[in-house]
Amino acid sequence: MNRTLVISIDALITADIPVLEKLPHLGRIMKNASYARDILCIYPTLTYPCHATIATGCYPDRTGIVNNERFMPLVEGRADWFWFRKDIQVPTVIDVAKAHGLTTATVTWPVMGDSGADYNIGEIWAPAEQDDPTPYFDRTNSPAVKEIFERNKHMLCWMKTPQMDEFATQCAVDIIREHRPDLMLLHLSYVDHRRHSLGVHSPELCHAFDFIDEQIGRVLEALEETGGVENTNIVLLGDHGQLYCDRLFHINSIFREMGWLKQEGGTVTEYDVYAAQCAFSAQIYLKPGMDREEVYRGLQEIQAKYPDCIERIFTKEEAAKMHLSGEFDFVLEAADRVVFSKLPDQETAVSASDQVKNYKKSVSNHGHLPEKGDKPPFIVSGPDAKQGAVVTGGRLVDEAPTILQLLGIKAEGMDGQVLDLVKRCMHAE
């Protein structure tokens, strides 16, 4: 059986394929590769829900990962993110591979803290930049990589990139050289961060792709030293696209004016209705006992007043039809170029582009309906992949079954199906 390496290039889109083909290391992978164009993502198109779906082949209504952040409306400062595997409510490809006797690794893959992989480096960060990251990573990392983490943690600079990607790459290289796992999941986030700050199609993104190519070159070198790239299936994928934005809609500030929540010093102190921000969408939570129909009418009145800010109001039932369900009662989808904020203390309902940059440091963002905007590819290269095939109509839930197929494992109980990119079917013993 050949090894399989899955590399998530966060915010990679199908339009990037010509760029990948021209780079020295990514171009090597792309030669004779097969791929699915314009993968249909899940709602919301956020990094953590998307990566949970990629790792499980299941929609958010089954994974339980519906946002990047946990719902913590009364917490001052940053909310915790869904860092830990225990929050995923269904089996992952790591679980399945291990059950078939394969060795596994996950490196800075979202929602994979304490993933159960033999060799795991979590994606997590300390509450503040000056904090020692060690105790936080010790909660997420597997014991087998303690020495590798200690060796490389000096490369970290809190949650910042490109440092996080450099750290992840070196950890992946060390794990490959020292342990040679059968399946590795690796997440690199620099392209996403640069798209946020530069825009979806900025020509300046070439520097981000050059950086990613350099990191992947280091990984390919480690593969060559431990059995050869030609004996490794390599998957390149993106998790979501992005859309341009230049207005910020302060929905919680409107809720404050309506008496639905109270705030002090920019922190919510109590609420009857609260909007959990997902950039281009927002999940609306109600305090138990609130009249749902009354809130629905209130949301419709806000939409009527700000039709250029709110495109759609989905009820809980309507969201469930899109495989999105949780403790929230409504989901708002923003209008073109508008993102939601969670700030409860703004004096105006809408802020212009400068304040968008200050709040999220973004000129583009995601969290929107999966049908909108650029969509990611799913690229397969290696001994068990077809050569030169291009398919359309793939979904994010199809990626996990396809990854397992490369390992010779038939997926069971997933929402997706195998994409026609794998050239043979052998079941792992």
Side-chain angles (χ1 to χ4, degrees):
M1 186 203 70
N2 299 298
R3 292 179 295 182
T4 294
L5 168 64
V6 180
I7 304 174
S8 168
I9 303 175
D10 204 302
L12 182 73
I13 57 177
T14 299
D16 296 326
I17 286 178
V19 177
L20 304 186
E21 291 173 335
K22 295 176 182 178
L23 292 166
H25 305 298
L26 284 161
R28 178 183 177 187
I29 296 170
M30 292 300 300
K31 187 176 182 180
N32 299 319
S34 292
Y35 60 89
R37 299 177 52 86
D38 298 328
I39 290 288
L40 185 65
C41 293
I42 48 91
Y43 193 38
T45 51
L46 293 178
T47 295
Y48 276 44
C50 286
H51 277 84
T53 288
I54 293 167
T56 63
C58 296
Y59 287 106
D61 58 357
R62 293 184 62 197
T63 67
I65 309 302
V66 299
N67 201 330
N68 286 339
E69 298 180 343
R70 294 181 173 279
F71 181 62
M72 302 170 65
L74 306 183
V75 172
E76 184 176 358
R78 292 178 177 270
D80 291 339
W81 285 41
F82 282 102
W83 287 309
F84 292 94
R85 157 68 183 90
K86 63 181 175 61
D87 293 311
I88 301 178
Q89 298 170 6
V90 291
T92 70
V93 291
I94 297 298
D95 301 325
V96 177
K98 287 190 68 176
H100 283 79
L102 305 182
T103 55
T104 57
T106 45
V107 181
T108 61
W109 191 276
V111 208
M112 279 292 185
D114 196 18
S115 68
D118 300 284
Y119 314 105
N120 178 51
I121 300 287
E123 177 168 286
I124 196 168
W125 44 84
E129 186 169 354
Q130 67 271 17
D131 294 336
D132 179 3
T134 305
Y136 301 94
F137 275 89
D138 282 348
R139 296 167 56 201
T140 67
N141 296 351
S142 59
V145 298
K146 177 67 175 175
E147 183 179 343
I148 290 174
F149 170 73
E150 292 292 337
R151 187 188 310 157
N152 296 315
K153 68 180 183 182
H154 69 280
M155 303 173 73
L156 289 166
C157 184
W158 193 37
M159 61 188 293
K160 296 180 179 180
T161 60
Q163 293 92 334
M164 180 70 83
D165 282 1
E166 291 172 324
F167 162 79
T169 299
Q170 189 57 53
C171 288
V173 165
D174 290 350
I175 290 170
I176 291 168
R177 285 176 173 154
E178 297 173 27
H179 303 292
R180 306 186 185 192
D182 298 312
L183 171 64
M184 172 179 279
L185 309 182
L186 170 63
H187 174 233
L188 302 174
S189 59
Y190 191 49
V191 170
D192 178 68
H193 284 243
R194 296 307 287 160
R195 277 206 151 104
H196 279 300
S197 60
L198 295 172
V200 182
H201 296 289
S202 169
E204 296 178 64
L205 285 166
C206 62
H207 301 295
F209 282 105
D210 287 341
F211 169 81
I212 292 295
D213 188 66
E214 179 182 342
Q215 306 313 304
I216 290 176
R218 293 165 58 200
V219 174
L220 295 183
E221 183 179 352
L223 291 174
E224 290 285 22
E225 294 171 4
T226 58
V229 173
E230 71 277 4
N231 297 315
T232 305
N233 297 307
I234 299 178
V235 176
L236 302 174
L237 58 86
D239 53 344
H240 54 69
Q242 291 191 15
L243 296 172
Y244 286 98
C245 56
D246 54 18
R247 289 183 295 163
L248 191 62
F249 190 50
H250 303 291
I251 185 70
N252 280 325
S253 295
I254 294 175
F255 290 173
R256 183 204 70 218
E257 293 172 358
M258 297 173 66
W260 281 354
L261 62 77
K262 296 180 181 179
Q263 65 86 29
E264 188 173 317
T267 299
V268 175
T269 56
E270 58 181 285
Y271 74 93
D272 293 324
V273 184
Y274 181 86
Q277 181 260 4
C278 304
F280 277 102
S281 60
Q283 297 162 354
I284 309 301
Y285 288 79
L286 274 56
K287 185 177 179 180
M290 281 295 291
D291 186 323
R292 189 166 176 252
E293 289 302 317
E294 180 183 340
V295 173
Y296 190 29
R297 288 192 295 271
L299 293 174
Q300 290 174 317
E301 290 172 4
I302 296 171
Q303 183 186 29
K305 187 176 181 179
Y306 300 99
D308 58 341
C309 292
I310 299 177
E311 178 181 295
R312 292 285 303 276
I313 303 171
F314 296 107
T315 65
K316 188 181 190 76
E317 294 76 17
E318 290 169 333
K321 292 178 181 178
M322 298 184 288
H323 302 286
L324 174 62
S325 60
E327 297 301 315
F328 45 83
D329 284 88
F330 302 96
V331 177
L332 306 183
E333 174 73 7
D336 186 38
R337 302 186 76 98
V338 176
V339 291
F340 293 103
S341 88
K342 59 184 176 183
L343 301 175
D345 59 345
Q346 302 302 290
E347 295 304 317
T348 59
V350 185
S351 296
S353 57
D354 286 346
Q355 285 144 307
V356 176
K357 294 176 185 177
N358 291 338
Y359 175 57
K360 296 298 289 183
K361 294 183 171 56
S362 300
V363 297
S364 63
N365 218 314
H366 42 102
H368 47 76
L369 285 165
E371 295 82 7
K372 293 182 177 180
D374 286 289
K375 299 171 183 64
F378 180 80
I379 302 162
V380 182
S381 176
D384 299 317
K386 291 184 175 181
Q387 293 190 5
V390 179
V391 303
T392 57
R395 304 165 298 167
L396 210 64
V397 292
D398 297 331
E399 297 184 355
T402 307
I403 291 165
L404 290 176
Q405 188 84 340
L406 287 168
L407 293 165
I409 300 172
K410 183 179 180 180
E412 296 181 356
M414 295 181 175
D415 294 327
Q417 58 190 14
V418 177
L419 295 166
D420 189 20
L421 302 172
V422 182
K423 70 181 181 184
R424 65 187 179 92
C425 179
M426 295 285 291
H427 296 300
E429 299 297 328

